Amino acid sequence: MKLRTAISQVKGLQHLVESMQLQSSLGKRYLLDMPMLYQADEINCELDLVTRIYTILGGKKVGLISKVQTKLMQVRDIKGSIKNMKAKLILDDIELFEIKSFALVSDEILKLQNEFETTLMEIPDMNPMISILDPENNRIPSFYIYDSYSEELAKVRKEIKELKSAIKADPEMSAGQSLEALKSQAEAIEADVRAQICERLYPYATELEKALNQVAHLDVIVAKALLAENLGFTRARLSDSITEYKGMFHPQIKETLSLSKRKFQAIDIALNQSVCFITGANMAGKTVILKTLALCQYLLQFGFFVPAQSACIALVDRVLVSVGDDQSEQNGLSSFASEMVKINEMVEASIRKENVLILVDELARTTNPTEGRAIVNAVAEIFNENQTQSVITTHYSGLDSRCRKLRVKGLDKDFKSGEINKNNINDYMDYSLIEDDASTVPHEALRIAGILGINQQIIEKANENLLKPDSIISVM
């Protein structure tokens, strides 16, 4: 999977990509074409590069990063010109200009990079190409067929110039045919010179392509490091089986809350190769936890730091997510049918013992509680049997006792009458996770409904129904 595909599937990923300070269209394309990484050495290699820039950002040479970014802004995508070089086509002056301009910028970036105490990117030396395209060594990002390429060309151009001056001095002078003949001669010589220049450039096509990719990658690495610094991300350690976050947060929601001067409560969570149930009141952030787990997994496996104080993450081959707002009704299936199709995919992956992370929000919530609970326990049993790393949020009680159970604390304190309202309820919610036996689930729905100002008759009648034997409600 490429990142350009993942951002359409993972909530919050596109927001982060759009927040990155990429300096070139080349860098953005490189980023979007980055593949998801599955090997620890590949991920550590990418994270090592990000770490080097991240370290520089906190040091005395941080100013060099700004200089590198300024040069990156001048980088153009010249893949088309390189393709023609590799095909050994005769390049026109615009293509030669593009190649010269990139070679000069690449060389300047390489010089800046040499001022760091560590090598960031192995950028090939472009000076052999620069000497071909800049025979007068003026280091100006422009190109034409210089006189210095050919004495014959210089001579003809001089004759053209002198003839033009003579015509200008004597408009009656009849020298039109001579001038056109000289121009044709000059163009023919220029074509020969252009062909010779291309012949000299062809052997460097591979090096030029490598330099282009390395510079694009540098743009991405700098942007990843700046993103990590600006948003408080951390480098995750890779694990064989355990995934554990301390202080995990969802960056987009944290940013949104900060705009209204509110704080996002980071959480701690640990997962292993089994099922973890998360229960909790409505509005307790269970769905956000799932989305953040998915986001962190993708960020790591695309070579990013992750939104947490510390993290240890096990690599997976796929992340399978079932969250209500992701369900499409366009396929004509009901909510339940659509969910079951997704769950079936997850179960089959589990049975095949694929290395996956499965995240399910309120499994079987759209069916009756009796069958819903049975479905939840059946799915959890399969995941447990196949040691599938999975998290299932639910409001059901009576869950499989072999599964780990966590509960969002929620509104677990007494508050003064009128202290909480619909505008500040999130400020009073405790989003931290605690171990729970899940023999019963939180009964805070009516309390929260009351806080939200729901019609009091609903609250009163619902409370009356809860007091009836087995809470069986008869509807007239």
Side-chain angles (χ1 to χ4, degrees):
M1 175 188 287
K2 291 184 177 181
L3 183 62
R4 68 171 67 248
T5 302
I7 60 176
S8 64
Q9 300 177 1
V10 185
K11 299 293 183 183
L13 191 52
Q14 182 165 0
H15 174 75
L16 290 178
V17 169
E18 291 174 352
S19 301
M20 295 176 70
Q21 298 178 36
L22 291 161
Q23 303 302 314
S24 66
S25 59
L26 182 70
K28 184 172 184 179
R29 180 180 296 181
Y30 187 95
L31 174 70
L32 294 177
D33 285 336
M34 288 190 77
M36 190 167 172
L37 305 174
Y38 303 98
Q39 302 299 322
D41 56 347
E42 292 178 326
I43 295 172
N44 278 324
C45 183
E46 182 74 2
L47 294 180
D48 285 345
L49 292 172
V50 179
T51 301
R52 290 175 195 169
I53 298 289
Y54 187 84
T55 303
I56 292 169
L57 290 173
K60 295 179 180 178
K61 294 188 176 181
V62 60
L64 283 174
I65 298 296
S66 298
K67 292 181 180 178
V68 169
Q69 285 186 297
T70 300
K71 293 300 176 186
L72 289 169
M73 292 172 66
Q74 301 170 20
V75 173
R76 296 184 181 185
D77 189 348
I78 60 168
K79 287 184 177 178
S81 299
I82 295 175
K83 181 181 178 181
N84 289 340
M85 274 182 72
K86 297 177 82 172
K88 297 189 175 181
L89 301 179
I90 302 299
L91 307 176
D92 60 29
D93 286 0
I94 294 176
E95 291 172 314
L96 293 170
F97 157 72
E98 288 181 340
I99 292 170
K100 179 183 176 183
S101 296
F102 173 76
L104 287 171
V105 172
S106 177
D107 185 58
E108 290 167 359
I109 291 173
L110 183 59
K111 289 176 180 174
L112 286 170
Q113 184 176 258
N114 291 338
E115 295 184 40
F116 295 114
E117 295 176 353
T118 179
T119 300
L120 302 177
M121 288 288 169
E122 297 290 342
I123 300 175
D125 182 6
M126 291 287 100
N127 279 302
M129 298 187 68
I130 293 173
S131 65
I132 295 172
L133 295 167
D134 190 21
E136 298 174 358
N137 195 30
N138 55 28
R139 308 286 294 186
I140 296 175
S142 61
F143 179 80
Y144 70 101
I145 304 297
Y146 300 92
D147 289 353
S148 54
Y149 281 123
S150 166
E151 292 182 0
E152 184 183 7
L153 177 62
K155 180 182 176 183
V156 172
R157 283 176 172 171
K158 182 179 179 182
E159 291 177 14
I160 293 173
K161 185 177 180 181
E162 290 174 350
L163 189 54
K164 283 183 176 179
S165 296
I167 294 173
K168 184 176 182 182
D170 181 7
E172 301 298 325
M173 178 181 177
S174 177
Q177 290 184 348
S178 299
L179 181 59
E180 290 304 316
L182 287 171
K183 286 183 177 177
S184 296
Q185 186 179 356
E187 289 174 359
I189 298 171
E190 288 173 0
D192 288 341
V193 171
R194 193 174 292 108
Q196 293 170 16
I197 292 172
C198 292
E199 285 290 338
R200 296 170 64 192
L201 290 175
Y202 293 153
Y204 299 103
T206 302
E207 289 289 281
L208 182 62
E209 186 174 49
K210 180 180 179 182
L212 190 71
N213 285 330
Q214 292 294 81
V215 168
H217 195 181
L218 178 62
D219 194 4
V220 170
I221 292 298
V222 171
K224 283 182 175 179
L226 285 167
L227 184 77
E229 184 189 54
N230 293 337
L231 299 184
F233 288 8
T234 190
R235 176 174 178 168
R237 291 179 291 108
L238 305 190
S239 163
D240 292 333
S241 57
I242 304 296
T243 291
E244 184 172 11
Y245 297 94
K246 298 289 185 184
M248 183 183 75
F249 61 91
H250 194 289
Q252 187 174 3
I253 297 175
K254 181 180 179 181
E255 181 181 324
T256 301
L257 290 174
S258 69
L259 293 176
S260 56
K261 298 183 178 179
R262 294 157 64 192
K263 292 184 178 180
F264 184 95
Q265 183 182 343
I267 66 159
D268 302 338
I269 186 169
L271 310 175
N272 53 27
Q273 301 300 314
S274 62
V275 178
C276 176
F277 284 120
I278 297 180
T279 62
N282 300 87
M283 300 181 65
K286 301 186 296 297
T287 305
V288 172
I289 292 173
L290 297 186
K291 290 180 177 179
T292 311
L293 287 170
L295 179 63
C296 288
Q297 192 74 43
Y298 278 107
L299 284 173
L300 172 70
Q301 297 198 222
F302 279 108
F304 287 81
F305 284 16
V306 298
Q309 290 179 0
S310 66
C312 175
I313 304 175
L315 303 182
V316 298
D317 295 332
R318 285 199 293 165
V319 181
L320 301 175
V321 182
S322 175
V323 177
D325 56 9
D326 288 335
Q327 290 184 0
S328 171
E329 297 178 353
Q330 295 180 357
N331 55 14
L333 296 176
S334 68
S335 298
F336 178 73
S338 180
E339 181 187 25
M340 287 299 102
V341 169
K342 280 191 173 181
I343 296 302
N344 185 61
E345 179 188 3
M346 296 172 172
V347 167
E348 290 185 349
S350 175
I351 292 172
R352 290 193 297 268
K353 298 189 182 301
E354 289 186 29
N355 180 23
V356 294
L357 169 62
I358 291 179
L359 305 167
V360 186
D361 191 28
E362 297 188 25
L363 175 57
R365 64 192 173 284
T366 56
T367 190
N368 68 76
T370 302
E371 288 183 296
R373 183 182 299 105
I375 290 173
V376 171
N377 278 325
V379 171
E381 185 176 344
I382 293 171
F383 289 168
N384 253 344
E385 287 175 353
N386 294 289
Q387 298 183 326
T388 303
Q389 184 177 230
S390 50
V391 182
I392 301 173
T393 67
T394 182
H395 285 290
Y396 292 132
S397 57
L399 302 174
D400 191 324
S401 60
R402 295 168 296 176
C403 300
R404 186 185 180 202
K405 302 174 184 68
L406 299 175
R407 177 171 63 83
V408 181
K409 276 189 176 181
L411 298 172
D412 65 345
K413 299 177 182 177
D414 293 327
F415 300 98
K416 298 177 182 176
S417 177
E419 184 178 354
I420 307 178
N421 55 55
K422 63 182 179 181
N423 296 319
N424 66 7
I425 185 171
N426 287 324
D427 298 332
Y428 287 84
M429 192 75 73
D430 188 340
Y431 296 96
S432 57
L433 295 169
I434 56 175
E435 297 287 345
D436 188 67
D437 62 11
S439 55
T440 60
V441 294
H443 290 175
E444 293 187 313
L446 295 178
R447 185 183 183 192
I448 292 174
I451 293 170
L452 295 175
I454 303 303
N455 189 298
Q456 193 58 30
Q457 289 190 43
I458 297 176
I459 309 297
E460 293 173 356
K461 289 184 178 296
N463 279 320
E464 290 173 6
N465 286 328
L466 284 175
L467 297 176
K468 295 178 179 179
D470 298 327
S471 297
I472 297 175
I473 303 171
S474 61
V475 179
M476 298 301 292

